[in-house]
Amino acid sequence: MASSNSHRNGGVGYTSSITSNGTKVITDRQQQQQLFSSLNSINPKSSTTSSSSSASSFKPKSSLRRSSTGSIAGSATAKDESRGVRGRVRVAVRLRPRNVEEAVADADMPDCVELQPELKRLKLRRNNWDSDTFEFDEVLTEFASQKRVYEVVAKPVVEGVLDGYNGTVMAYGQTGTGKTYTLARLGEEDKSARGIMVRALEDILAEISPETDSVSISYLQVNVKRSIKGKDSALSVENGNASHAAKILKPPIVRRGKLVIVDLAGSERIDKSGSEGHTLEEAKSINLSLSALGKCINALAENSPHVPVRDSKLTRLLRDSFGGTARTSLIVTIGPSPQHRGETASTIMFGQRAMKVENMLKIKEEFDYKSLSRRLDIQLDKLIAENERQQKTFQDEIQRIASEAQKRIAEVESNYAGALESTEINEFKKLLQNETLLRRAAEEEISSLRNEVAQWKRLEAAKSSEILKLRKLLEDESQEKAKLEEEIAALQSQLLQLSFEADETRRNLDKGEMAKLSGDLDSLLPQSNHQSSRDFGDGASMAKLFEQVGLQKILSLLEADDADVRIHAVKVVANLAAEESNQERIVEAGGLTSLLMLLRSSDDETIQRVAAGAIANLAMSETNQELIVSQGGLELLSTTAANANDPQTLRMVAGAIANLCGNDKLQMKLRGEGGIKALLGMVRCRHPDVLAQVARGIANFAKCESRAFTQGTKMGRSLLIEDGALPWIVQNANNEASPIRRHIELALCHLAQHEVNAKDMITARALWELVRISRDCSRDDIRNLAYKTLTHSPAFQAELRRLRIDYG
């Protein structure tokens, strides 16, 4: 049973029917006629078109063209034509722009999706500060044209079909996100809006030749049969002699390709579809089919021994598209509305799982025995006609010679009867002898012609017998071909296994000890609850790591040529540095120097982030803090902060500088070598984790200054105020994030401890924040410190009295 549903896609209305197996087929009779009208407009020479439920044959004009546009699916090389090649399902994601309803309903809400097409990435926001990142083969923005979508998604599949591969183009996504707009848009008024289906038909009809190729089309799948020049196979006779008949028996090679374009039904939950009654039951069946498709893709992605393709009609229909022999491209369509984030996330995860499915692409070639049989029949008819013509010529010649002989005999007899003289008799005798000789020669010629006719008849019988043998040979060859194909499939499977094992052995021999050590490092990353451990990975304990690898060997890998090995090594060092018991050993072994050198020389942002995190862990020790500054580490961290854009890298750098800010001996160097300015410069990121580390560093620096004022070693106003940090401190004193607010409140209390800073704080309106902190702060120690500062500062008391505020 199928039900009609009206959908809206990109502002264009269309009518479709959704079958119980989850596929969506256009049922509007008028739209079907428009589709086939558009096909006729592509090729005006095509034959009469039938309805969408029956196949149509086309004889298009010959026009060869092939583009080399960048695509999400590669093509097979010439030497891969005779065997299968691996090719995973290629997946592209397309974002639909907001429609009118979403523009009104979500006017104050940001899009839940952020695209990075140059990196082929997609970010799905969980909230305002956290998101998940996914990678696809292509990421198409809402501004991507229909032509661009076709060239990167479907064109390589169409070209593969023309080369003899099966192909599938499928759209998956929530209702209204643009599946049918992408696949089936006719573009009658605007050709640039044509969808994949029309563009694929145009390319196929422009590529094939009407003399040798044929195309059959239905509304379910666009089958292509092409004759291949230069690949005819000659058949030999039984005795091994290449006779004239055997030389011409070369069955042509044909390639058959099948292109399936699938517009899946909407993937949203039933409660969002608004279906009721009979439509609700159909929606449940559709969801079961889509669920069965998801189970098949999961099983293929996880290399499960059983793939449940028989659970639904949809999975049986697509059994060749996922895990089969077809080149498959999947485009997942999504919308930007945060109201449908669940459906968007489900669609994205469907595409991610589909990217793990690998197909074994095969060219479907076969001998065109029907064409060979037609050629043999034509050749036989020509031979029979030539034989009959020669027989008629021979009979006519015999009759002509006999008639002439009879005529000459009659003339001789007439002349003989009238001859009276001997001279005439002698002449008659000579003439008679000549005529006798001529008749004998004619009889011999007739006998020779009769023998030749008999020989032709024997040759004709021999050829007929030979043709029967060749036909029997063709039947035997067909049976042998089926057996050989089965053996070839088994041998190819064994060859792939042997090739895989050989590649593994060669890679193991090439990598040697370095690859083994890199694998050991991956398996021995230490487990820790510390923030740095959560960033860099998990693994074994320090004792186990030193026992199996050794610290010196790990540090030596920081200078390895292989970037992956360096990344693994620096992650291990960062995790080891997270434990205080390991820090001294790392510094003594030269680990700090190696990390600083790596931070100075590497342009890889991953290495910079992990190296900065390792330095931040080492900077928790006061002894290591002075070593870091003495070896130029502060200047390196400041340079990295100025150049980096990744929030996680900035968080690591800010954490390292914040640890250094807690050392009383490094106050002037922190300012002189740009540490304070680098710390304040990182607020441009606005990421909560980065701002929390910046606030912690400012609080540490203010606390050290407060101790210096108390001890009498500092007399001037705060360096933080001189470097312009006070406005940002006041602005974030009431930040919603508790880590940021807590550190800022503590920094304000420390700055207010000394009268020399009071005037600047009053001017910057920091006094009001102190009053609020003294009354509303959730922490007793900070609230009491703010109250104590307000009551003991003459400048603050004077300002409060001027404002007629009774305080203290």
Side-chain angles (χ1 to χ4, degrees):
M1 296 295 294
S3 64
S4 296
N5 299 291
S6 179
H7 299 270
R8 179 67 58 182
N9 188 342
V12 179
Y14 62 90
T15 302
S16 67
S17 71
I18 304 178
T19 63
S20 60
N21 63 6
T23 52
K24 178 161 56 181
V25 181
I26 296 177
T27 58
D28 189 295
R29 183 68 178 178
Q30 183 178 1
Q31 189 168 3
Q32 293 174 2
Q33 294 175 355
Q34 292 175 353
L35 175 62
F36 287 105
S37 298
S38 65
L39 298 182
N40 288 330
S41 67
I42 294 175
N43 179 26
K45 295 183 180 180
S46 61
S47 61
T48 305
T49 306
S50 64
S51 66
S52 63
S53 60
S54 61
S56 303
S57 298
F58 292 88
K59 296 182 179 179
K61 60 184 179 181
S62 176
S63 175
L64 299 179
R65 62 184 181 90
R66 186 70 57 90
S67 69
S68 58
T69 308
S71 62
I72 67 170
S75 60
T77 61
K79 66 181 180 180
D80 290 329
E81 292 179 354
S82 61
R83 58 185 176 87
V85 293
R86 291 191 180 276
R88 67 169 174 82
V89 175
R90 316 294 291 182
V91 182
V93 63
R94 187 182 193 186
L95 177 65
R96 170 183 59 75
R98 286 193 177 189
N99 55 31
V100 176
E101 293 81 1
E102 293 171 348
V104 175
D106 303 335
D108 298 331
M109 302 176 65
D111 292 348
C112 68
V113 176
E114 177 185 349
L115 301 185
Q116 296 177 331
E118 66 281 355
L119 299 178
K120 297 184 180 180
R121 289 179 181 171
L122 176 148
K123 287 189 175 182
L124 181 63
R125 291 194 177 93
R126 294 181 178 177
N127 45 49
N128 291 335
W129 59 85
D130 195 8
S131 62
D132 293 324
T133 302
F134 303 92
E135 292 187 1
F136 290 91
D137 295 294
E138 285 293 339
V139 175
L140 303 169
T141 67
E142 63 268 32
F143 305 107
S145 64
Q146 292 282 73
K147 179 180 179 182
R148 167 69 176 166
V149 174
Y150 171 72
E151 288 181 347
V152 301
V153 174
K155 192 175 184 70
V157 179
V158 174
E159 293 177 352
V161 171
L162 292 172
D163 288 335
Y165 293 95
N166 290 340
T168 300
V169 178
M170 182 184 301
Y172 181 87
Q174 183 184 2
T175 298
T177 54
K179 301 187 298 300
T180 305
Y181 177 80
T182 300
L183 290 181
R185 184 69 182 270
L186 296 181
E188 294 179 320
E189 298 179 355
D190 184 5
K191 290 185 177 181
S192 64
R194 292 175 299 175
I196 288 176
M197 188 181 300
V198 178
R199 293 177 185 269
L201 288 174
E202 183 181 25
D203 277 2
I204 291 174
L205 297 179
E207 179 72 13
I208 64 174
S209 172
E211 291 81 8
T212 59
D213 306 331
S214 65
V215 179
S216 62
I217 303 174
S218 69
Y219 206 68
L220 181 62
Q221 59 188 24
V222 179
N223 294 283
V224 180
K225 173 184 176 183
R226 304 198 69 191
S227 297
I228 306 301
K229 297 181 179 179
K231 282 200 173 184
D232 292 350
S233 298
L235 299 177
S236 61
V237 295
E238 293 181 354
N239 58 7
N241 296 325
S243 65
H244 176 71
K247 290 181 180 178
I248 64 174
L249 294 179
K250 296 181 178 180
I253 304 295
V254 295
R255 287 180 177 173
R256 299 179 183 271
K258 177 176 67 176
L259 175 62
V260 181
I261 299 179
V262 183
D263 183 8
L264 293 174
S267 61
E268 69 277 355
R269 298 191 302 270
I270 293 180
D271 57 354
K272 282 198 173 184
S273 65
S275 301
E276 296 180 354
H278 184 67
T279 305
L280 177 60
E281 295 302 321
E282 289 187 347
K284 291 180 180 178
S285 299
I286 293 170
N287 283 352
L288 289 176
S289 295
L290 294 179
S291 177
L293 177 60
K295 291 179 180 178
C296 290
I297 291 178
N298 287 340
L300 290 169
E302 296 171 0
N303 295 322
S304 174
H306 172 67
V307 181
V309 295
R310 297 186 178 182
D311 286 1
S312 71
K313 293 182 181 179
L314 175 63
T315 52
R316 289 198 298 273
L317 182 66
L318 300 179
R319 64 184 180 276
D320 193 44
S321 303
F322 290 97
T325 61
R327 173 181 280 110
T328 300
S329 289
L330 170 66
I331 179 167
V332 294
T333 57
I334 58 176
S337 175
Q339 297 182 15
H340 307 298
R341 185 188 180 281
E343 282 73 14
T344 301
S346 175
T347 300
I348 291 173
M349 294 309 299
F350 181 90
Q352 289 285 296
R353 292 190 295 270
M355 289 177 69
K356 299 179 181 179
V357 178
E358 288 193 357
N359 293 349
M360 182 63 70
L361 309 183
K362 291 183 179 179
I363 291 180
K364 187 176 182 181
E365 287 186 350
E366 59 186 25
F367 292 115
D368 191 356
Y369 293 106
K370 292 183 179 179
S371 176
L372 176 61
S373 178
R374 289 195 298 269
R375 288 167 55 183
L376 292 175
D377 290 340
I378 293 173
Q379 186 69 17
L380 180 61
D381 292 340
K382 288 182 179 179
L383 292 175
I384 293 174
E386 180 66 18
N387 187 24
E388 291 177 351
R389 185 186 66 78
Q390 291 182 359
Q391 284 184 355
K392 186 176 183 305
T393 302
F394 295 154
Q395 292 294 337
D396 292 344
E397 185 67 17
I398 290 172
Q399 290 179 2
R400 183 185 65 80
I401 293 173
S403 176
E404 288 181 357
Q406 290 293 337
K407 183 178 180 181
R408 289 184 180 183
I409 290 172
E411 290 177 355
V412 170
E413 289 178 348
S414 176
N415 292 333
Y416 181 78
L420 298 175
E421 298 180 355
S422 59
T423 303
E424 294 178 353
I425 293 173
N426 292 333
E427 292 178 355
F428 174 74
K429 288 181 177 180
K430 292 180 179 179
L431 182 61
L432 182 59
Q433 290 176 354
N434 292 333
E435 290 295 335
T436 301
L437 293 175
L438 290 174
R439 180 168 184 172
R440 189 178 299 168
E443 289 177 351
E444 291 178 355
E445 185 177 359
I446 291 172
S447 177
S448 176
L449 291 174
R450 286 176 177 173
N451 292 334
E452 190 173 353
V453 169
Q455 184 177 359
W456 274 104
K457 288 182 177 180
R458 288 194 299 271
L459 179 61
E460 179 182 350
K463 288 183 177 180
S464 299
S465 176
E466 186 176 2
I467 289 173
L468 292 176
K469 291 180 180 179
L470 289 174
R471 287 180 177 174
K472 181 65 169 59
L473 179 62
L474 288 177
E475 294 177 357
D476 295 340
E477 287 292 335
S478 298
Q479 297 175 359
E480 186 67 21
K481 175 190 173 186
K483 296 179 180 178
L484 289 175
E485 286 179 348
E486 295 178 358
E487 295 178 0
I488 288 172
L491 290 175
Q492 284 179 344
S493 177
Q494 296 176 6
L495 179 60
L496 288 175
Q497 181 64 26
L498 291 175
S499 176
F500 175 77
E501 293 175 355
D503 289 341
E504 287 295 321
T505 303
R506 182 172 61 254
R507 283 195 293 267
N508 291 336
L509 291 176
D510 292 340
K511 292 184 178 179
E513 184 179 358
M514 186 66 72
K516 180 179 181 300
L517 183 55
S518 176
D520 291 340
L521 294 179
D522 282 339
S523 64
L524 294 176
L525 290 174
Q527 297 181 350
S528 174
N529 290 328
H530 192 271
Q531 181 65 35
S532 297
S533 299
R534 292 197 299 270
D535 293 332
F536 304 139
D538 298 327
S541 65
M542 178 62 181
K544 186 176 180 181
L545 186 64
F546 284 175
E547 178 183 350
Q548 297 188 15
V549 180
L551 181 59
Q552 288 294 344
K553 203 163 190 178
I554 295 174
L555 295 178
S556 67
L557 293 180
L558 295 176
E559 301 177 3
D561 294 333
D562 193 330
D564 291 336
V565 175
R566 292 200 304 272
I567 292 174
H568 286 311
V570 75
K571 284 183 178 180
V572 172
V573 174
N575 280 278
L576 294 176
E579 298 183 11
E580 186 176 356
S581 59
N582 301 332
Q583 294 176 0
E584 183 177 356
R585 297 186 63 180
I586 293 174
V587 174
E588 289 178 354
L592 176 59
T593 303
S594 298
L595 289 172
L596 292 174
M597 184 180 300
L598 195 63
L599 188 62
R600 178 183 293 107
S601 60
S602 177
D603 294 331
D604 189 283
E605 193 159 3
T606 301
I607 294 179
Q608 290 181 348
R609 179 177 68 252
V610 182
I615 294 171
N617 288 340
L618 293 176
M620 290 187 293
S621 170
E622 184 174 351
T623 303
N624 295 339
Q625 292 171 357
E626 297 179 6
L627 288 175
I628 291 172
V629 175
S630 65
Q631 295 184 21
L634 181 57
E635 184 177 354
L636 279 175
L637 291 171
S638 300
T639 303
T640 304
N643 297 330
N645 293 316
D646 178 53
Q648 299 305 320
T649 302
L650 292 175
R651 179 170 67 86
M652 298 298 179
V653 175
I657 297 177
N659 289 339
L660 297 176
C661 287
N663 193 320
D664 296 337
K665 303 176 183 179
L666 303 177
Q667 294 286 293
M668 297 307 296
K669 287 188 177 181
L670 279 166
R671 187 192 186 194
E673 297 183 14
I676 300 301
K677 289 188 178 296
L679 200 65
L680 294 176
M682 284 185 281
V683 301
R684 72 182 186 279
C685 178
R686 298 185 180 181
H687 194 281
D689 292 343
V690 178
L691 297 182
Q693 295 297 328
V694 172
R696 185 172 69 87
I698 290 175
N700 288 344
F701 195 91
K703 185 176 181 180
C704 290
E705 280 193 331
S706 178
R707 284 199 296 265
F709 277 116
T710 303
Q711 296 170 2
T713 58
K714 179 175 179 62
M715 301 303 294
R717 66 175 183 165
S718 171
L719 297 179
L720 290 173
I721 295 177
E722 291 184 357
D723 282 349
L726 188 57
W728 185 84
I729 293 174
V730 174
Q731 181 182 357
N732 288 272
N734 199 20
N735 195 290
E736 294 180 357
S738 59
I740 301 174
R741 183 176 66 254
R742 183 176 69 254
H743 290 305
I744 292 299
E745 289 175 346
L746 190 60
L748 276 174
C749 291
H750 285 304
L751 288 175
Q753 288 286 310
H754 308 286
E755 200 71 11
V756 69
N757 298 329
K759 182 177 179 182
D760 292 307
M761 297 185 71
I762 292 173
T763 303
R765 302 183 63 83
L767 176 59
W768 298 110
E769 295 299 333
L770 285 171
V771 172
R772 179 190 60 78
I773 293 170
S774 68
R775 294 175 177 174
D776 302 333
C777 183
S778 59
R779 288 186 50 173
D780 294 340
D781 55 342
I782 298 178
R783 186 172 64 252
N784 294 334
L785 183 58
Y787 180 81
K788 179 181 177 181
T789 301
L790 288 172
T791 56
H792 287 79
S793 172
F796 289 156
Q797 287 293 316
E799 180 66 14
L800 291 173
R801 286 195 299 270
R802 186 182 70 82
L803 297 174
R804 297 182 181 178
I805 297 176
D806 186 13
Y807 201 88

